[in-house]
Amino acid sequence: MVDHLLIFIAFAFLLAGFVKGTLGLGLPTVAMGLLATTMAPGQAIAIVIVPAIVTNIWQTFVGPYLRDIIKRLWPLMLGTVAGIWINAGLLTGPYAAYGTVVLGVLLVIYAIVGLSRFSFKVARRDEKWIGGIVGVITGLISAATGVQVIPSMPFMQAIGMEKDELVQALGVFFTTATVALAFNLTASGLLTATTALPGAVAMAASFTGMFIGQAVRTRMQPEVFRRWFLISMILLGIYLAGSALLKIHS
């Protein structure tokens, strides 16, 4: 791992940690988007996975809602683990080159949904079966891209969780998904000792960024930052998908 790449990794995770500290989510999404500009999604996920797990575990236990969250979201989490397992090997298979294209498209969709404020409601009686389906779809997408926000994030908003409960629920869900993804990476030979140094750099930069983001959150309007963050995700997604398609067809 050359020095300039380590510097880029530190920058990517400093920014991703800043976003998570400010908004409460977005670390894997931002980090994957930035790292995918210089490496394959499989390599990027291998670096993202440990900081994502650690920061999400921290978020999981900040709040009193853990028991209720597990009771409501277990079908979503179980479905996600199943989807990740079903799609195991996609990162190193013959279609791995299309992972960056899918990642770019997902970033655009994620940002457009966020900007449009599109919302829908899921009745309490339908949470379990819809959650299971959403989980499987999320798992299939996550296994290919490392991103777990589509369609899980809109679903968690649709079931009517309060703000603090939603933040903790995101921690619980993302912890489950990233741990399942780590098993995929290990089985595929992507998570090895060679990722230890970049992973350590990513970890330190993530927590530094989160600390700065939490401090800034008290001094700025989160909605303004969120809007420009989502616009940036659209531009990054278009760039990733476009450049990957050019490479595939060149």
Side-chain angles (χ1 to χ4, degrees), residues 124-141:
R124 192 78 177 231
R125 65 180 181 275
D126 298 324
E127 281 182 12
K128 297 291 192 295
W129 69 269
I130 293 178
I133 295 171
V134 169
V136 172
I137 296 171
T138 301
L140 293 172
I141 292 171

Side-chain angles (χ1 to χ4, degrees), residues 6-249:
L6 286 176
I7 292 171
F8 179 72
I9 289 170
F11 165 77
F13 279 89
L14 187 68
L15 181 58
F18 176 78
V19 171
K20 186 174 180 68
T22 306
L23 301 179
L25 74 159
L27 189 145
T29 307
V30 175
M32 280 297 301
L34 292 174
L35 293 182
T37 62
T38 61
M39 62 185 73
Q43 293 175 288
I45 295 173
I47 297 172
V48 169
I49 199 75
V50 174
I53 289 173
V54 173
T55 54
N56 285 323
I57 287 175
W58 170 79
Q59 189 171 326
T60 292
F61 294 101
V62 179
Y65 306 103
L66 184 58
R67 181 180 296 179
D68 290 338
I69 288 168
I70 293 173
K71 186 177 179 181
R72 294 184 70 181
L73 295 185
W74 70 262
L76 174 70
M77 294 187 286
L78 187 62
T80 301
V81 171
I84 289 172
W85 178 77
I86 291 168
N87 236 4
L90 189 66
L91 288 169
T92 55
Y95 299 104
Y98 291 92
T100 304
V101 178
V102 176
L103 176 60
V105 172
L106 284 176
L107 290 179
V108 173
I109 293 172
Y110 167 69
I112 290 175
V113 170
L115 287 170
S116 68
R117 296 294 190 176
F118 171 77
S119 63
F120 61 96
K121 298 297 179 183
V122 173
R124 192 78 177 231
R125 65 180 181 275
D126 298 324
E127 281 182 12
K128 297 291 192 295
W129 69 269
I130 293 178
I133 295 171
V134 169
V136 172
I137 296 171
T138 301
L140 293 172
I141 292 171
S142 177
T145 66
V147 174
Q148 298 121 11
V149 293
I150 299 292
S152 61
M153 182 70 179
F155 170 76
M156 281 188 273
Q157 292 172 321
I159 63 177
M161 286 185 161
E162 298 296 329
K163 180 181 177 183
D164 292 338
E165 185 180 12
L166 178 60
V167 170
Q168 188 175 3
L170 290 170
V172 177
F173 171 72
F174 290 145
T175 297
T176 303
T178 47
V179 168
L181 194 56
F183 281 99
N184 267 18
L185 297 176
T186 303
S188 301
L190 293 171
L191 195 60
T192 64
T194 58
T195 61
L197 178 57
V201 170
M203 182 86 70
S206 296
F207 277 102
T208 302
M210 284 176 65
F211 177 79
I212 297 171
Q214 288 169 345
V216 170
R217 182 167 56 185
T218 63
R219 296 184 173 90
M220 70 178 297
Q221 293 181 335
E223 280 304 306
V224 174
F225 176 80
R226 180 177 174 277
R227 186 181 308 116
W228 284 108
F229 159 68
L230 291 172
I231 291 171
S232 300
M233 287 297 99
I234 291 176
L235 297 176
L236 178 59
I238 292 172
Y239 169 78
L240 284 175
S243 59
L245 283 171
L246 286 175
K247 286 181 182 178
I248 291 170
H249 296 292

